[in-house]
Amino acid sequence: MSERIYTGKLTEAMINEEVLLKGWVQKRRDLGGLIFIDLRDKSGVVQVVFNPDKSQEALEIAERIRSEYVVEVQGTVVKRDESTVNPNMKTGTIEVFAASVTILNKSKTPPFAIQDETDVSEDIRLKYRYLDLRRNALQETFKLRHQTTQIIRNFLNDNEFLEMETPILTKSTPEGARDYLVPSRVHPGEFYALPQSPQLFKQLIMMSGFEKYYQIARCFRDEDLRADRQPEFTQIDIETSFLTSDEIMEMTERMMQQVVKEVKGIDMELPLQRMPYDEAMDRFGSDKPDTRFGLELIHVSDVLAGSTFKVFQGAIESGGKVALLNVKGEAANFSRKDIDKLTDFVKVYGAKGLAWVKVEGDELKGPIAKFITDDEKAGLLEKATATDGDLLLFVADKTSVVFDSLGALRLKLGKQLELIDESKFNFLWVTDWPLLEYDEELGRYFAAHHPFTSPVEEDLDKLETDPANVRANAYDLVLNGYELGGGSIRIYQKEQQDHMFKVLGFTEEEAGEQFGFLLEALEYGAPPHGGIALGLDRIIMLLAGRSNLRDTILFPKTASASDLMTNAPSEVSHAQLDELAIKLSERNTVN
Amino acid sequence: MSERIYTGKLTEAMINEEVLLKGWVQKRRDLGGLIFIDLRDKSGVVQVVFNPDKSQEALEIAERIRSEYVVEVQGTVVKRDESTVNPNMKTGTIEVFAASVTILNKSKTPPFAIQDETDVSEDIRLKYRYLDLRRNALQETFKLRHQTTQIIRNFLNDNEFLEMETPILTKSTPEGARDYLVPSRVHPGEFYALPQSPQLFKQLIMMSGFEKYYQIARCFRDEDLRADRQPEFTQIDIETSFLTSDEIMEMTERMMQQVVKEVKGIDMELPLQRMPYDEAMDRFGSDKPDTRFGLELIHVSDVLAGSTFKVFQGAIESGGKVALLNVKGEAANFSRKDIDKLTDFVKVYGAKGLAWVKVEGDELKGPIAKFITDDEKAGLLEKATATDGDLLLFVADKTSVVFDSLGALRLKLGKQLELIDESKFNFLWVTDWPLLEYDEELGRYFAAHHPFTSPVEEDLDKLETDPANVRANAYDLVLNGYELGGGSIRIYQKEQQDHMFKVLGFTEEEAGEQFGFLLEALEYGAPPHGGIALGLDRIIMLLAGRSNLRDTILFPKTASASDLMTNAPSEVSHAQLDELAIKLSERNTVN
């Protein structure tokens, strides 16, 4: 018997050869006493023909074959007639005449057909994930994921990085998102936590003298899930000693250049654009701007400083601002009803309303036009480079609301008006992030990234006096409006880390309890260090042109963190809980 | 300022060049108005000289430098005098004359010196793991781990495998070792389990049509720890469709050949030896025989079938056996006291005692010699090829006790008598494993590997009638007496899997509750499949020539599953437990 060959490797060069094929029956058709099956394996599909002249016995077995049966076929490669060539199939100019066939395993009728497009509900597809994964689109996504991962590894290996594994059973550090906890049997009443990221371990790896570390690392966050969040996710985790933020960014962009080149065949120009956080917010109302299209925010507080329109006046006087989007040439296409819908949309982001005017000739039309003086009009038209037929959409509010609502509205209109060139891969760095964020409810500052991020040298003296304006030595990598990840230069001096915890409101005892091992490690020759972490799942999603993060994870969980295939999480036995010295709280045991 | 260069890259070719070095101070010596420091970075060590003629300022700074300080040095490479060349140092023919030095970070005096050999307790080294990891021996181990991992990945990538990630938050399946559990916040009263291995997921990947999968996978077992166990460990996890066990073994041994070639420079001959389980037990008293030395078990029940010595008689009559080790030429070197110690040793393995005789000329001497007839003597001497000066050590007991105790004694004596060639890498396959093991206490059969292992075709009919003698389609890879891992061809037909669960005493409901998703998947065209899993940590331990598994894991846990550095596990807040709807049991809350 010949050796098995993959269907995708069959070519016209092999005509008349005997081949052994193994795979799944994609579909079966009966026609004029013959049976045709499309035989699928990991490499592709080929048509197999059962012909009574070739083998009556094989034909009889083929009659019992159904979709998704697993079969082994021995046969001869033949050229198809011109009339039966299938140009949509890679092997469409040939077929295999079966001499024999063996049914290796049967299949019930699948709950949905294994084909590229499917309209079956996602819940059904997740329950039968092993069937969904047989679809070509998902097969290709996981090949791409494999390829991308290897490109990244090869790049880092070539740059003298060591791949290292950090623990999954770690210590709970409540700062940040919620930890998943793991009760300890050996130490009753104590718990491990699953890592939200290997942050502290990778810093300790630097303190261990390894200098260049990476890991394709599993991370865990027990957060309320959104479409683009999963309880476990994978990040490309990198840390280096003795490199500057510029050097880390340069290396990272060369890595991404390699990925985009090999996976998409696109040449990416370096260096990537770098944009300070303040500029990103001002121009795009977003800290992860999609720069594939314009429609930038236009700031008009100065023009409207003396406005008699109460909404503008109020926002400006209370320290907020007025900004607008100029929807070029679209005035005629937006009815009052259309604009009402946009108003509802921005309200989700906290805006009290959406003011608007249409430019008609050199006049402004619309309900608020009457509040706008000629001077103001001239100023607005100039700033917005607005001309006949434009639609101007205003938000006047607290600065953060103006950014959030106009930033979101910009993205919505960008898609709706098809302003986005979907073939583009627009990477950019967002830099000069604020180090700290004030939580009004709790009345204290929080680390905008994490408490180990170093402040920019020249802002150090503001840590006490003007914490809100201290910039972090941090950088985020953004692609087409998605944050791929970010990094920073870390604090490496004990005194500065102590200081940071103090600014964040930790008592010395609290800092010691949670991070004592780090503080101690900083006293034994910690090198200057920094790194980056990039979300692999999201990178794959964008490279594969998909819109759902679940499509990039082999066995994903639902929005309620369930695995619909295995039915995890699930109840466990009393004996298991007893061994762990835990009990369920009342509200469960009642159920 | 020049670009930083690694100390390990400095050579005589660079003499007179200006270089910039960064790293840690390995040690400082003051001599004749000069200061010498050994500067260490990830690549190696070089001597830096501070000389008042070159720079008085640098010399003054150097006076403040202590061990493990992090410094940056600008200087000139110079050739050392013949008299000061250090042949033990890779860069020992050169040194760097410092023009300037900057202290990047200070260090307190470390609790132990960062040097190759250390006698400080392991607990201290684990608490300060980041200091221990700076030692050259551990640096080299993790470079070797990195290298090995990449060789394995490259091999598998070249063989068309896809690297894929399976979940860490999975369903608890109580069969096997204890699961680590993770309470779910979203589903109160329910738990995830950390995977003991990706076994079911990798089978489902085959059912998803991927055909060739691998993963360097983290696994978790909440077992009582031994020196060579860790709560989390890493395995090279492989699964394939349509391959036979022979093909999987051949591929695996080519992979290991590549590793041993690249890492150790050793050419390994293929195919590897294959030894049936029964032969391994008979000859070595072990299912993971160390074949680097002889001292095999010699079975003498037939010779002693009519023995009047009660111990021999009793063992044989009750269905057990008598076997011996012939400790060649060592009779004179073992006193009665020495043999008493060996007796204590075998008792740990359940043996009631250790009978012995010494061969002197053609006589047997020793307390049991008088029970041995001349015929028996002749038979023993022949079977054991025993001659003058040999020591024969007998165990007579249940078969399993004979194997366990003589197997362990063989290893002990092999080490003690230095019979083992430590330079050898003796791989072999152990095949034809029993499929099932009987648990006398529970009165039922258990899967010797796991319940998804397929029986050997020709033993299928014995599943009901003679389960103890059904062989598994399974294979273990053994190296120098360590099990590196194993695999099997899996059950891929629904009826056979149902049957197996029945043999294992599962009701249909129990099987459905735990493994319903697998049973269902088997009904939709599951391909024939099988694979293997190899323990990466142990492979690294053996390649690195280390004896402690903890040395191969970056941040390991102790025998009580604690991380002494971060102090995990630890107590968590009531708020955290409340969110998870669990409470501590009384015995903890009392504490």
Side-chain angles (χ1 to χ4, degrees), chain B residues 28-230:
Chain B
R28 187 190 107 180
R29 276 153 302 151
D30 295 20
L31 196 71
L34 307 182
I35 292 178
F36 298 83
I37 66 171
D38 284 354
L39 186 68
R40 186 189 72 231
D41 63 21
K42 85 183 182 85
S43 68
V45 179
V46 74
Q47 176 162 282
V48 177
V49 185
F50 295 86
N51 180 330
D53 298 342
K54 180 91 181 174
S55 167
Q56 179 63 31
E57 193 189 344
L59 181 71
E60 279 166 21
I61 295 171
E63 277 170 9
R64 307 205 308 269
I65 286 175
R66 300 287 179 275
S67 284
E68 298 310 312
Y69 272 40
V70 186
V71 299
E72 181 178 306
V73 172
Q74 186 91 32
T76 314
V77 181
V78 300
K79 192 167 164 58
R80 292 203 200 185
D81 288 345
E82 285 292 339
S83 64
T84 62
V85 162
N86 181 348
N88 299 322
M89 209 168 169
K90 207 182 129 213
T91 60
T93 62
I94 53 170
E95 55 197 3
V96 172
F97 273 30
S100 70
V101 58
T102 309
I103 296 174
L104 299 175
N105 211 350
K106 296 180 184 181
S107 174
K108 295 204 296 190
T109 304
F112 51 89
I114 313 301
Q115 56 197 20
D116 273 11
E117 297 300 324
T118 179
D119 57 1
V120 76
S121 80
E122 196 184 9
D123 278 6
I124 294 289
R125 293 195 289 119
L126 288 174
K127 177 169 160 59
Y128 298 96
R129 182 67 170 174
Y130 45 88
L131 296 178
D132 201 28
L133 286 169
R134 290 183 197 171
R135 295 194 300 124
N136 190 51
L138 286 180
Q139 290 273 323
E140 291 304 321
T141 300
F142 289 98
K143 283 179 197 163
L144 184 149
R145 187 174 173 119
H146 167 82
Q147 187 196 4
T148 304
T149 311
Q150 308 311 324
I151 294 166
I152 288 167
R153 279 217 183 77
N154 289 339
F155 178 88
L156 293 168
N157 294 348
D158 290 346
N159 281 275
E160 298 197 40
F161 281 78
L162 294 186
E163 187 176 14
M164 306 184 108
E165 296 177 68
T166 54
I168 298 289
L169 294 169
T170 66
K171 183 184 167 73
S172 179
T173 54
E175 188 81 353
R178 255 187 232 102
D179 285 330
Y180 278 105
L181 297 182
V182 182
S184 161
R185 180 180 54 84
V186 183
H187 304 276
E190 299 188 343
F191 293 78
Y192 304 97
L194 305 185
Q196 296 179 24
S197 91
Q199 183 60 36
L200 290 174
F201 286 107
K202 69 176 173 174
Q203 294 192 232
L204 286 158
I205 289 172
M206 294 304 106
M207 297 169 205
S208 304
F210 285 106
E211 300 192 39
K212 286 182 159 190
Y213 143 92
Y214 80 94
Q215 182 177 204
I216 311 291
R218 202 72 61 84
C219 306
F220 306 85
R221 285 186 199 165
D222 187 9
E223 288 181 302
D224 297 311
L225 303 176
R226 302 195 304 256
D228 64 345
R229 282 280 170 85
Q230 282 279 314

Side-chain angles (χ1 to χ4, degrees), chain B residues 327-351:
Chain B
V327 194
K328 275 299 246 191
E330 293 287 339
N333 300 325
F334 279 77
S335 67
R336 192 172 285 246
K337 211 168 152 188
D338 292 332
I339 297 175
D340 284 349
K341 277 188 199 150
L342 300 182
T343 306
D344 290 342
F345 177 82
V346 295
K347 282 183 176 167
V348 173
Y349 296 88

Side-chain angles (χ1 to χ4, degrees), chain A residues 36-84:
Chain A
F36 299 84
I37 66 170
D38 284 354
L39 187 69
R40 186 188 72 232
D41 63 20
K42 85 183 182 81
S43 69
V45 178
V46 75
Q47 176 164 282
V48 177
V49 185
F50 295 86
N51 181 328
D53 298 341
K54 180 92 181 173
S55 167
Q56 179 64 30
E57 192 191 345
L59 182 71
E60 279 165 21
I61 295 170
E63 275 169 11
R64 306 204 311 268
I65 287 175
R66 300 286 178 275
S67 285
E68 299 310 314
Y69 272 40
V70 186
V71 298
E72 182 179 305
V73 173
Q74 186 90 32
T76 314
V77 181
V78 299
K79 193 167 164 57
R80 292 203 203 185
D81 288 343
E82 284 294 336
S83 64
T84 63

Side-chain angles (χ1 to χ4, degrees), chain A residues 9 145 160 165 192 561, chain B residues 9 145 160 165 192 524 561:
Chain A
K9 294 195 176 157
R145 187 174 174 120
E160 298 197 38
E165 296 177 70
Y192 305 96
Chain B
K9 294 196 176 156
R145 187 174 173 119
E160 298 197 40
E165 296 177 68
Y192 304 97
Y524 290 103

Side-chain angles (χ1 to χ4, degrees), chain A residues 130-197:
Chain A
Y130 45 88
L131 296 179
D132 202 28
L133 286 169
R134 291 184 196 171
R135 295 194 300 122
N136 190 52
L138 286 180
Q139 290 273 324
E140 291 304 320
T141 300
F142 289 98
K143 284 179 198 163
L144 184 148
R145 187 174 174 120
H146 167 83
Q147 187 195 5
T148 304
T149 311
Q150 308 311 325
I151 295 166
I152 287 167
R153 279 216 183 78
N154 289 338
F155 178 89
L156 293 167
N157 294 347
D158 290 346
N159 281 274
E160 298 197 38
F161 280 77
L162 294 186
E163 186 176 16
M164 306 184 106
E165 296 177 70
T166 54
I168 297 289
L169 293 169
T170 66
K171 183 184 166 74
S172 180
T173 54
E175 187 80 353
R178 254 187 232 102
D179 284 331
Y180 278 104
L181 296 182
V182 182
S184 161
R185 179 179 54 85
V186 184
H187 305 276
E190 299 188 344
F191 293 78
Y192 305 96
L194 305 184
Q196 296 178 26
S197 90

